[in-house]
Amino acid sequence: MPYQDLTQSTLQLVLLTGVDPESGDAVYKTKSFTNVKPSATAEQLYETAVAFEGLQQHLVTEINRRDKSEILLS
């Protein structure tokens, strides 16, 4: 039976960096932090993101976790 093996996690902060002068649409930039422990909880990642937020020049609009897994046969 196949199973999932979580191999990598990434913490991403989405930052509002400005407004496009032509379209008026918001402009976003993503900062990624790799080598996150796959066992990290949502609460731990949130606390880490809040700590990083204070170091950012722009407003953090989203906090995301991106996971990569392998599907293996048992």
Side-chain angles (χ1 to χ4, degrees):
M1 170 161 248
Y3 69 96
Q4 177 177 317
D5 181 29
L6 182 61
T7 59
Q8 181 182 11
S9 287
T10 302
L11 175 64
Q12 293 183 328
L13 302 181
V14 180
L15 308 166
L16 175 61
T17 59
V19 176
D20 183 300
E22 292 181 17
S23 67
D25 293 338
V27 177
Y28 297 94
K29 179 180 179 182
T30 301
K31 285 199 176 184
S32 297
F33 301 90
T34 58
N35 297 324
V36 172
K37 288 184 180 181
S39 61
T41 66
E43 183 176 345
Q44 290 169 329
L45 291 179
Y46 179 79
E47 290 173 5
T48 301
V50 169
F52 283 142
E53 183 176 24
L55 303 173
Q56 303 307 308
Q57 181 178 8
H58 301 289
L59 175 67
V60 175
T61 60
E62 287 183 39
I63 302 168
N64 298 313
R65 177 183 186 151
R66 302 285 181 215
D67 291 330
K68 181 178 176 183
S69 298
E70 286 186 273
I71 304 298
L72 305 166
L73 293 176
S74 55

